[in-house]
Amino acid sequence: MALAVLAGCAVVFVVAAALAVALPEDGEPEGGPPALAAVHGLDLGVAVAVEPLLRDGGYRDVVTGNYTSVTAENTMKWDAVQPERGGFDWSGPDAVMDFAEAEGLDVRGHTLLWHNQLPAWLERGSFDPPELRRIMREHIGALVGRYQGRVEAWDVVNEPFVDEGAALRENLWYGVLGEDYIAEALWAAHEVDPEARLYINEFGIEGGGAKADALYALAEDLVDRGVPLHGIGFQGHFVHGQVPEDLASTMRRFTDLGLEVAVTELDVRVPEPVTEAELDAQAGEYRRVVESCLDVPGCVGVTVWGVDDGHSWIPEWFPGYTSATPFDEDHRPKPALEGIVEALSRRPTPPSSG
Ligand code: 9MR
């Protein structure tokens, strides 16, 4: 009991000390978003691409000045890591890891199993279950093993459900190994890095609905069976004006299972032409997403998908939409960043209520 009280005091002291740094009396935050995120114990991440990370100082400054972790946007995916069977290319993943470690940033690993960005040898090959299982375990073993102890969390299975609806996606893994490919992949990653937090990462679940229900049932089953699933990633690719109100309650369903959750790929795309009023409204949407995470004790972080509007997947994939990230093409902060800062500037929830 006495120890618990002491520990409680220590927590209060640490929080108060951090607050004193981040929230001076005039209420203006100092130290930027990373210091504010630290007050809440929140990870504030961003997806990075290798080329600009290596060559563009302004791009790097946005990352180091505003975020506490990075996710590799593409370079840890199958086609980049194992373009030939058994032939691994570590140049991109190593560059991201080295940068992160040099800058004191955490890393989210993305992603071990997905239906997209597969190398041709895998996508077009034909494998029986034992062989595909061997290939899967080899890849997971190589990637998770290389960075063992250095990656906080892995998106082990990405987008296991169909785009819209409750059915599991009939991807390569499902087609050959059946539904339990998900549990097998989680076990394979866990064996190699028992400390890493292992996630299923999905889109279109943020506002609840049939897909979220199906993911919930899957997660519940995995938890019941003792499969090493630790978290659910809510991707958070939103359209301006359609950010769901019930993000926090959807996340809470999953944390009630004992899982952690994170917003893993946040962006809010705006139809062109973009007005200042829309950017201001978008700031409110970014703010609301970060607040939702802060409202859920098991929500560990928010990652933005793309460093700036010049390095966002949106214009290519959704022609007519743009301006989805908190920085413009010249690395200048937009109102969305202020939205994030405002959300983080509130008092942290006392540990006891968590
Ligand atoms: O942002 C990524 C983009 O550069 C790639 O071209 C695309 C290819 O599928 O993948 C994008 O990232 C995706 C992520 O890995 C999983 N969730 C959806 C993201 C946006 O498509």
Side-chain angles (χ1 to χ4, degrees), residues 25 30 55 72 79 119 163 167 183 193 198 231 238 247 255-256 258 292 351:
E25 278 177 6
E30 283 171 8
R55 305 194 201 298
D79 60 351
D163 286 0
D193 190 348
L198 305 182
F238 295 126
L247 177 59
T255 58
D256 285 349
S292 298

Side-chain angles (χ1 to χ4, degrees), residues 73-74 77 110 114 117 158-159 235 265 305 313 317:
E73 184 176 358
N74 286 303
K77 293 173 180 172
H110 178 84
W114 194 26
Q117 288 173 282
N158 195 34
E159 303 172 5
Q235 290 189 5
E265 305 186 11
W305 205 246
W313 71 300
W317 288 76

